[in-house]
Amino acid sequence: MVKVPSAVVAAGGLVGGYGVARWSGKRQLGGVVLAAAGAAAARQWQQRAGGTAAGALTAAYVAAFAGSHPLAKKVGAWPSVFGVAGAVALASWAVADRRR
């Protein structure tokens, strides 16, 4: 079975959550995607890097989601989402995925 890197899961959750919310018109549905991917990534972070790292990366994931909103007012919605998703993916790779 191929394992998807946690960096891809986390970035996909941020991008996918926004995309689902935007295209469906249902913010709650986007939130479900965001939360499901965040939970899956957190589980991978826990397994690969331990509890402290998982906590820090989960905080970064939530902060990226929250920070994308004010950033979107300056650079636009999609650039903001891609920017924060890239930052979370890089952090996830550096802390958890690079070891594999």
Side-chain angles (χ1 to χ4, degrees), residues 61-100:
Y61 185 81
V62 172
F65 168 70
S68 69
H69 292 81
L71 182 60
K73 293 180 184 197
K74 297 185 184 302
V75 299
W78 280 111
S80 173
V81 170
F82 286 129
V84 300
V88 168
L90 181 60
S92 180
W93 174 83
V95 173
D97 295 334
R98 164 174 71 159
R99 300 171 194 226
R100 296 234 166 239

Side-chain angles (χ1 to χ4, degrees), residues 2-57:
V2 176
K3 293 193 178 201
V4 177
S6 62
V8 173
V9 174
L14 290 161
V15 173
Y18 175 70
V20 167
R22 177 146 182 170
W23 289 315
S24 71
K26 308 275 187 207
R27 294 178 72 184
Q28 298 87 348
L29 190 56
V32 169
V33 172
L34 179 79
R43 184 167 183 234
Q44 287 182 311
W45 294 328
Q46 169 70 37
Q47 292 171 345
R48 294 178 183 174
T52 302
L57 288 168

